Amino acid sequence: MKDLTFGTLIAVFEEIFGRGLFWVMVGAAVIITLAYLYVLIRDRSVSWHKFLWAQLSMPFGAIAAVLFVQAMTHSSFADIGGPVDVIVLLGVAVAGAVGAAILVYTVESLLWPKKATDA
Amino acid sequence: MTKETQFTPTRRGFLGLAAGAGVLAAAGAGQKAEAQIATTAHIVILGAGAAGAALANRLVGRLDGARITIVDGRKEHWYQPGFSLIAAGLKPANYSVSQTTDWLPRGVELKTEMAANIDPEAKTVALGNGEVLRYDYLIIATGLVLDYDSIDGFEMDMIGKDGVGSLYAGPDYAAKTWAAAGKFAEEGGVGLFTRPNTEMKCAGAPIKHTFLIDDIARRNGARGKAEITYFANNASLFGVPIVSEKIRMVFGDRGINHAYNHVVQSIDAGAKRVTFATPDGPVERDYDYVHIIPPQRAPDVVRNSGLAWADKWTDQGWVDVDKHSLRHNRYPDIFAVGDVAGVPKGKTAASVKWQVPVVEEHLVADIAGTSSTASYNGYTSCPLITRIGRAMLIEFDYNNDLTPSFPGVIAPLEELWISWLMKEVALKATYNAMLRGRA
Ligand SMILES: Cc1cc2nc3c(=O)[nH]c(=O)nc-3n(C[C@H](O)[C@H](O)[C@H](O)COP(=O)(O)OP(=O)(O)OC[C@H]3O[C@@H](n4cnc5c(N)ncnc54)[C@H](O)[C@@H]3O)c2cc1C
C-alpha cells in the first residue's frame, strides 16, 4: 500500500461508512467521550460502584464486538490463521470491552448522579 | 490495518477523539500543499475507469486552467474486484455498480462516447459520434477487452446456464456465474477452472474462484461428490514463482487437482464438453461446471492506432510504453496507465494506485518545463482468497520480489483472516478513495 497517511485513512473510513454516517459517528463518539470526561470532572472521582457495573459490561461488549465483526465479514473463529489474526481479534474484543465500559459508566453517571454512599 | 477498530460504536469513542483532533490537521494535510501549475494545455483521457477517474481527480488539483476532457461511453462504473465476491454469492450484483459521473471532479468535461480512432501524428482522437478532439497530452486508460469470440462455440447467453460460468464479463454475469457455480457446489460433479493464455487483469481471480467454490462445496457437505481441477495456461500456476509454489501446496491441501499448459479452445455447451489446446494436441474434457475466462487484449482503438508494441504481445496490442515512466516510447506526449499499458506486470487496481501518481508527476513536470524521476516498480497486489474468511495478501514487483506492505505483520504467503478483511472491507473503500484521487 502506498502512502498510508492520516488523510488516506480518513478517506478510506469515509468510503466504508459513507461520508455522512462516518462524521455523525465521529461526532457521537466525541460526545460520549466528552460526556465521560464531564462526569469524571463533575464527580471529581471515579465511582467504584458504577465502575463495577461498567466492568461487568465489558465481557458483553467484547463478545458483541467480535460477533458483529464476524457477521459483517462472513467470517468465524475458524478463520484465525496466524498470530496477527489473534491480535486483530483481541483488538476487536478489547475495543468492544472498553467501549462498553465507557458507555455504561457514562450513562449511569448521567442518569444517577453521585450519591453520598459512593466511595 | 484499520479493521480492528471500525465496527464497535464505543471504540469509536477513542478513535473519535483522535479523529476529531486530527480533523483540522487532516483537512490541511489530506490535500497536497503543492502550488498549482498554470497552463492552457488540453489533456485528453481515454477511459473513466479506475485509472482514468483517479488521474482526472489528481490532475484537477495540480493544474490551474488546464482543459481536461475524459472520454468514456459506458455510463456505469464497475468495481471489478467485487466480481469475485458476487460470483461466490457473497455480494449482490449491484455491489460493483456505480455511475461513471459519480467519480468525476468538477471542471472536467466528460464525452459519453467511445474513442474510435487515435492519430498520434496529428494529435487527434476521433469519437464514435464523429467528433474530433485535438490534444496536447493524451492518456490512454481504456482498460482491456474480453475476447470471447476467440473461443469457438462460446455465446454470452450461455453464462449461468448448464454449468457455464464467466465472472469477468460484468456484474450481472458474475451473478449468473454464481447461479451455475452455486449449483455445482451443491450437487458436485466435475468442475473445470480455467484461465486464458494472454496477459490478464488480476491473474489471481481464476484461482480465487476455484478456492471459493471448493470452500462452498465443503460447507454444503458436497465436496466429496465434487472433483475440482485448475488448468494453468503455461507451466506454472502463477507468474511469480514463489507464489506459484505456495498455491500448488494449498491446492494439495484442499484436494484440488491442477494441470499445466491447458488453454480453452472451444466449448460445446450442449454436450457439456470443452476442448483444450495442449502441447500434445487437443484434449477434450466433460464438465458439470466450467469457469471460462477469455483472452484479453487492448481495445481496437489502441491496436489500430500504431501505438502498440511492434515486437511484444503482438496478438494482444498493449501500448508501447516505458515500464517505469509509463510514457509512450515513440510519442512523448502520450502515456498509458492501467490494464492497457504494455508493461510486464501491473494489471490490477492496486497497480493503478501506484501508476497514476507516476503519470501525474511526469505530466505536470512536462507542463512546468521540468522533469520528474517518478518511477513505477511494477507493484501488483492480489488478495488471493483461499476460502471464505481467509486470504493471502500477495504483493510483488517487476523482479518477482515479494513487496509486503506490512512486513513482519501480515505474512504474504500465509492464509490469514486479516488479509480476508482487507479484501472484504478495506479494498473497495480504498479503491473508491483512489478514484477520488485521495489514496
Ligand atoms: C474478476 C476481477 C477481479 C479483480 N480483482 C482485483 C483485486 O482483487 N485487486 C485489484 O487490485 N484488482 C483487481 N482486478 C483488476 C482491476 O479491476 C483492474 O486492474 C482495474 O479496473 C484497471 O483499471 P483501468 O482503468 O485500467 O480499467 P477499467 O477500470 O476497466 O476502466 C476502463 C474504462 O475505459 C473505458 N473504455 C474502454 N474502451 C474505451 C474507448 N475506446 N474509449 C473510451 N473509453 C473506453 C471503459 O468503458 C472503462 O470505463 C480485478 C479484475 C477482475 C475482472
Side-chain angles (χ1 to χ4, degrees):
Chain A
M1 190 157 298
K2 203 176 192 197
D3 298 341
L4 189 64
T5 60
F6 192 71
T8 311
L9 217 56
I10 294 283
V12 169
F13 272 110
E14 281 185 9
E15 297 293 344
I16 289 178
F17 297 101
R19 206 183 195 135
L21 180 60
F22 173 69
W23 289 108
V24 166
M25 290 186 321
V26 169
V30 169
I31 290 169
I32 293 174
T33 311
L34 289 180
Y36 174 65
L37 292 176
Y38 162 76
V39 296
L40 278 188
I41 293 166
R42 183 196 63 186
D43 300 347
R44 282 206 190 77
S45 66
V46 173
S47 155
W48 296 111
H49 179 70
K50 287 181 185 120
F51 195 69
L52 185 68
W53 281 107
Q55 273 183 322
L56 287 176
S57 75
M58 290 177 92
F60 296 97
I63 292 167
V66 167
L67 294 183
F68 182 65
V69 169
Q70 288 182 343
M72 292 295 289
T73 61
H74 302 103
S75 351
S76 68
F77 289 106
D79 296 321
I80 300 298
V84 62
D85 291 344
V86 177
I87 294 170
V88 172
L89 192 80
L90 291 178
V92 172
V94 167
V98 173
I102 291 190
L103 188 69
V104 166
Y105 185 92
T106 307
V107 169
E108 271 185 298
S109 305
L110 290 176
L111 295 184
W112 299 281
K114 193 172 174 167
K115 287 187 228 121
T117 49
D118 278 350
Chain B
M1 195 178 63
T2 55
K3 260 31 37 53
E4 75 271 35
T5 53
Q6 60 218 15
F7 287 106
T8 51
T10 40
R11 168 65 181 267
R12 283 181 217 115
F14 294 114
L15 255 196
L17 248 200
V23 170
L24 295 173
Q31 303 297 323
K32 284 197 181 140
E34 288 147 302
Q36 289 192 326
I37 308 284
T39 176
T40 56
H42 185 201
I43 300 166
V44 173
I45 303 176
L46 305 184
L55 187 61
N57 275 295
R58 296 180 71 100
L59 286 177
V60 164
R62 294 292 299 278
L63 300 172
D64 176 24
R67 189 176 148 214
I68 302 176
T69 307
I70 191 160
V71 178
D72 198 322
R74 197 170 71 202
K75 287 202 169 61
E76 286 185 350
H77 181 101
W78 289 349
Y79 168 65
Q80 299 167 47
F83 294 178
S84 299
L85 301 175
I86 297 169
L90 296 170
K91 301 278 180 194
N94 66 13
Y95 174 68
S96 281
V97 181
S98 57
Q99 301 301 304
T100 298
T101 47
D102 293 348
W103 306 105
L104 299 181
R106 255 175 300 224
V108 165
E109 189 186 356
L110 172 67
K111 299 279 184 191
T112 54
E113 287 288 331
M114 289 296 185
N117 184 51
I118 303 167
D119 183 341
E121 301 291 344
K123 299 176 71 162
T124 57
V125 175
L127 308 187
N129 62 356
E131 186 179 354
V132 175
L133 304 174
R134 270 198 64 84
Y135 62 79
D136 296 304
Y137 297 96
L138 179 67
I139 315 292
I140 304 176
T142 55
L144 49 72
V145 290
L146 302 171
D147 185 6
Y148 282 101
D149 289 343
S150 68
I151 300 174
D152 276 347
F154 192 92
E155 302 288 341
M156 298 301 286
D157 61 13
M158 290 175 183
I159 300 174
K161 286 183 230 146
D162 299 326
V164 177
S166 188
L167 69 86
Y168 269 60
D172 293 331
Y173 287 111
K176 288 180 180 171
T177 296
W178 167 238
K183 189 161 177 281
F184 168 71
E186 267 171 27
E187 297 173 358
V190 175
L192 311 180
F193 294 77
T194 70
R195 62 151 286 167
N197 190 27
T198 57
E199 298 288 323
M200 64 179 295
K201 45 185 166 187
C202 198
I207 299 167
K208 295 177 211 177
H209 187 58
T210 314
F211 278 126
L212 281 168
I213 301 306
D214 160 82
D215 184 35
I216 295 167
R218 231 170 262 282
R219 288 166 194 248
N220 290 341
R223 185 62 179 88
K225 296 183 286 179
E227 182 194 315
I228 297 182
T229 308
Y230 179 77
F231 294 89
N233 62 312
N234 56 22
S236 76
L237 296 172
F238 199 84
V240 180
I242 192 170
V243 177
S244 175
E245 273 305 285
K246 176 67 190 189
I247 293 170
R248 188 184 57 75
M249 290 183 240
V250 185
F251 273 169
D253 177 64
R254 303 295 202 279
I256 296 172
N257 309 319
H258 62 276
Y260 297 112
N261 299 309
H262 277 61
V263 180
V264 176
Q265 209 171 14
S266 65
I267 180 166
D268 180 344
K272 290 194 152 191
R273 181 175 303 138
V274 284
T275 306
F276 291 96
T278 76
D280 308 322
V283 170
E284 290 188 342
R285 295 287 297 257
D286 293 336
Y287 62 79
D288 295 290
Y289 175 68
V290 64
H291 186 246
I292 303 270
I293 302 175
Q296 309 190 1
R297 310 185 202 284
D300 284 343
V301 62
V302 171
R303 302 181 70 190
N304 299 337
S305 63
L307 294 171
W309 284 97
D311 55 350
K312 284 190 218 173
W313 300 298
T314 48
D315 60 329
Q316 296 163 51
W318 312 117
V319 181
D320 179 358
V321 291
D322 177 82
K323 71 178 186 176
H324 294 297
S325 67
L326 303 171
R327 189 193 290 273
H328 198 277
N329 284 319
R330 288 171 279 128
Y331 299 99
D333 38 23
I334 299 181
F335 294 85
V337 58
D339 294 344
V340 76
V343 297
K345 295 239 160 27
K347 292 196 187 339
T348 65
S351 318
V352 166
K353 192 149 116 54
W354 287 52
Q355 292 174 356
V356 162
V358 170
V359 171
E360 173 196 341
E361 289 306 330
H362 283 276
L363 191 62
V364 170
D366 280 10
I367 289 173
T370 59
S371 66
S372 168
T373 55
S375 173
Y376 170 61
N377 69 354
Y379 177 87
T380 304
S381 150
C382 172
L384 192 68
I385 298 167
T386 54
R387 67 181 220 197
I388 299 172
R390 275 200 197 170
M392 299 190 283
L393 187 61
I394 290 173
E395 301 167 282
F396 51 89
D397 63 12
Y398 283 139
N399 289 335
N400 288 335
D401 292 344
L402 296 178
T403 53
S405 288
F406 309 97
V409 181
I410 304 183
L413 297 177
E414 238 171 78
E415 294 178 62
L416 296 173
W417 180 46
I418 190 172
S419 303
W420 164 261
L421 293 179
M422 295 252 166
K423 170 86 184 174
E424 247 252 350
V425 185
L427 190 61
K428 186 176 177 191
T430 310
Y431 177 92
N432 288 351
M434 172 184 88
L435 287 185
R436 296 190 203 280
R438 296 176 67 194

